[in-house]
Amino acid sequence: MWRNKTIWRYAWPGLLLCLAAVPALAQSTSTCLDCHATLDPPLQVTEQQFAADIHAQKGLTCASCHGGDPKLADMDAMSKKAGFRGKIEKKQIPELCGKCHSDGAYMRQYNPSLRTDQLAQYKTSVHGKLLAKGDLKVAVCTDCHGLHGLRPASDTRSQVHPLNVAKTCSRCHADAAYMKDHHIPTDQFAKYTTSVHFDALTVRGDLSAPTCTTCHGNHGAAPPGVDSVQNVCSNCHVFQSQLYEKSSHKAAFQRSALPGCMVCHGKHDISHPTDANLGAGPKAVCMQCHKPGDVCDQARVKILGNLTQLDDGIRGADQLLAAAEASGMEVSEARLEQDQARDALTKARVSIHRFRVDPVNQDVQAGMKIVAKNLQAGKDALRERDYRRMGLGVALLSIFMVLVGLRLYIGKMEQKAR
Amino acid sequence: MPTNDTSRVKPERRRLVEILLGGGLIASVISFVYPILRYLVPPPVADLGGDEVVACKKGDLKPNSSKIFRFGNRPALLLLTAEGEYRALSATCTHLSCTVQYRNDLHQIWCACHNGLYDMNGRNVAGPPPRPLEVFQVNLRGDDVVVRRKQGA
Amino acid sequence: MKLLQQAYDWLDERLDFKDLAAPLAKKTVPMHGRSYWYFLGGITLFLFMLQVCTGILLLLYYRPSAGEAFESVQYIMTRVQFGWLVRSIHSWAANLMIFTAFAHMFSVLFLKAYRKPRELTWVTGMLLLFLAMGFGFSGYLLPWNTLAFFATKVGTDIAGQVPVVGKWIMIFLRGGEEVTGATLTRFFGFHVAVLPGITTVLIAGHIFLVQRFGMSVPPEVEERWKAAPAEAREMKFFPSFFLRELMAWYIALAVLGALAALLPWELGTKADPFAPAPLGIKPEWYFLFMFQTLKLIPAKVWLVDGELLGILVFGAAGGLWVLLPFFDGAARGRGRRMILGAGIFALAFILVMTVYGYVAK
């Protein structure tokens, strides 16, 4: 091993050179940080921020956005002569980002599948239009994506990660004082946090559940028009949309310029629909428009009756099966079948969107057939339990007879032996 | 039997012991043996499957069609591609556990609940599903199409 | 009837039943205030025979593989006529047998029946008790349900903590690094072939020793009888004691039948090796006192790993327990008092820890 000493003799200087080059390399990209890491905000950019930044990771430097020449000494680096742009005006930010992000050929070098239409979309958004009019209160790229230390949207720490989007939007949109001049409500976030979608996203951790941008768009953020509500919802709720399309409500709502799905379900505070929505109580939605006793009301009563029938049926079978299970009977198969009945109920509840009795009734009857089978399985199990207990009774009785007989026999035998 | 000696025990009493002991012994032995004999009778269904199940018979499915069958305690999807290849996958959507279906117009597996799409290999390609569907192994055994869980999975 | 008599005579002519039964006819059982404890061994034996019978019946339908074990037990419980009864009796009788075996052990201890010349009877009995626990541990896994799966994982893990040979023991038990289908096949082999073989031999030895020495009379009673020989009472083993034992067996049957019919043994859900362990896994009750103790010992005692220390202490205690009779002769009754103290302590410890294990989360 040590015979190779000569190699070491020559390798040493080279190694030292390499080591020396490392800090030099780092300096060449970010001499900016030497000062800016020590400055106070807003001029501060720390090493950690820079290291976390996706642009820095891809090899971009401060100069890529701010111009200047970090290789020059001291303040020369930030001279006009070196092309230094200084702080970017808010109004210029979208265009600056777009310089790269709208350039398909350029972006392809880094992430060929990334879209390059953000700037074009932004110009169609309410934010973009207002910015063009000189309103500096609107969001530009950096307001949502962050500034230095910018992380890609797939990073859970990013402000535009699905879990953080609503919070990010709410920074402005829930601030009544900030939104004062724009005359739009500021309760969307508060309402959204009570919705079934928020619950799915945050509690159940379903990252595909809708947040603000799912319905409003992200770069092209704007409220969907009355006519496009159904289209937006149908991205996930396909069946409901298909049925609604064929229903009488579609045309009626269109005539009255009513916003489709939202008429019954609301918008930001969409709650989990229940059968009570079809009722006549405080949660009833039908009766907002319909008169009691008319044809539609009669159909409503029938549909509700159907759904209640299946719901009660499922619950009844569940109870019976639970009772059978509690007394030790094996009914796991029927328990499994119950899921199919529940599926039928879900399907029936979707079929409501056709607003006719027949489709709902069909689904309900299919479910009731399964329920009847499971109910029978539960009854059979309970009968089997009684049969077992009777058998036990017979066996215990005969055992008891033997015991008494033996006792008497032993007594007699020993009496005799004495 | 020592009970034959009746010198000291009353006859009725002797009879009682005989009935109790004899009847009880016979009845109890019957109550032990009867369940055992019934136990030995093989039930009509040979087994409950386990990790292997016969999904259908060869020829039951037309090309580019599918069927749902029970696998263990969950539904599974058997599909015959247009090229005549069998595929079997879990039919439980990885999003909210709805039962998925094969769309022969799209050549994809579709979940109606929230418009989730999987390709024919079970990969989630569009919509909410967070994970691919579990893929099972299909074998042809005589006329039976046999589906089994993949080993080591 | 006549044919039966002829067959009997034919056999008698060759085997000479009277001579065969002579030792039985001579055998007596001492009668005193604590005679009823003598039944426990017989009941345990009866339950073992019952286990053999129901076990053989279960073998007709059971399939020992990870893919089919759970389904085959489910099949026995739902499709096979009276399958629920056979399996429930097998499960309940197993627990009852371990209970009566423990009770038998403690009764022998407190009645001092382990004294010379019965040391070997005690040793074989203790080995049988360990075997019974082995039956329980291996049989518990066979339905391949979630609880059993994780209990086996934890149990074999504890075995793996033993210094030097622990790792080897764990791999031997599991049939690999992890609890898998290979473990199930192994446990099945232990449960239906290895353990029954050894147990049968040991039971034969145990019973032979019991016959050889006769029933032990507690020393206090013995002294009393020595002072007044007229007070000594005994009963013929056959038929008097045997018929009483028969009554005890019938009572055991009644209890088992009632338990099986009213509280059929649960099956749970099929084991999924990749699922996270469910909360609050507990072993079978007869392992609970050890499990709970191991949980209570702090992670480090001085410089020794706490769990390791616990295992070593239990191992040592178990070993000493087997050799218990050999301390009896020590220095003028001191050994006997020590054994009595140890017995009371062990019983109290087991009771408290078992109850604590049930109450604790």
Side-chain angles (χ1 to χ4, degrees), chain B residues 15-139:
Chain B
R15 264 212 82 61
L16 178 73
V17 173
E18 265 175 13
I19 289 171
L20 278 175
L21 206 50
L25 272 173
I26 292 169
S28 60
V29 167
I30 289 175
S31 73
F32 305 150
V33 172
Y34 172 73
I36 294 177
L37 289 179
R38 291 278 299 273
Y39 179 88
L40 296 176
V41 178
V45 191
D47 56 32
L48 286 182
D51 284 355
E52 186 180 295
V53 74
V54 176
C56 74
K57 295 269 179 223
K58 221 167 146 183
D60 282 358
L61 276 181
K62 282 195 272 306
N64 197 23
S65 70
S66 70
K67 80 170 268 198
I68 298 277
F69 63 98
R70 200 188 136 165
F71 190 43
N73 43 21
R74 294 237 60 102
L77 181 77
L78 179 75
L79 59 92
L80 183 58
T81 64
E83 293 79 39
E85 191 189 337
Y86 283 104
R87 304 249 171 106
L89 311 103
S90 156
T92 305
C93 183
T94 52
H95 179 224
L96 290 179
S97 304
C98 295
T99 302
V100 298
Q101 50 187 291
Y102 177 63
R103 285 277 297 262
N104 54 12
D105 51 339
L106 300 172
H107 290 241
Q108 275 182 325
I109 297 160
W110 182 57
C111 178
C113 284
H114 295 93
N115 205 18
L117 278 175
Y118 303 86
D119 68 10
M120 306 253 273
N121 295 315
R123 266 187 311 145
N124 45 326
V125 287
R131 281 185 312 281
L133 295 171
E134 191 185 344
V135 181
F136 305 131
Q137 204 176 323
V138 189
N139 293 94

Side-chain angles (χ1 to χ4, degrees), chain B residues 24-25 28-29 32 34-36 38-51 72 152-153, chain C residues 57-61 63 66-68 71 74-76 78-83 85-86 250 253 270 274:
Chain B
L25 272 173
S28 60
V29 167
F32 305 150
Y34 172 73
I36 294 177
R38 291 278 299 273
Y39 179 88
L40 296 176
V41 178
V45 191
D47 56 32
L48 286 182
D51 284 355
Chain C
L57 286 175
L58 288 174
L59 273 178
L60 296 183
Y61 296 106
R63 300 182 183 184
E68 291 181 308
E71 281 81 3
Q74 198 175 29
Y75 181 73
I76 292 172
T78 54
R79 300 297 167 91
V80 181
Q81 303 180 57
F82 290 99
L85 182 67
V86 175
Y250 256 76
L253 266 180
K270 183 171 179 170
F274 300 104

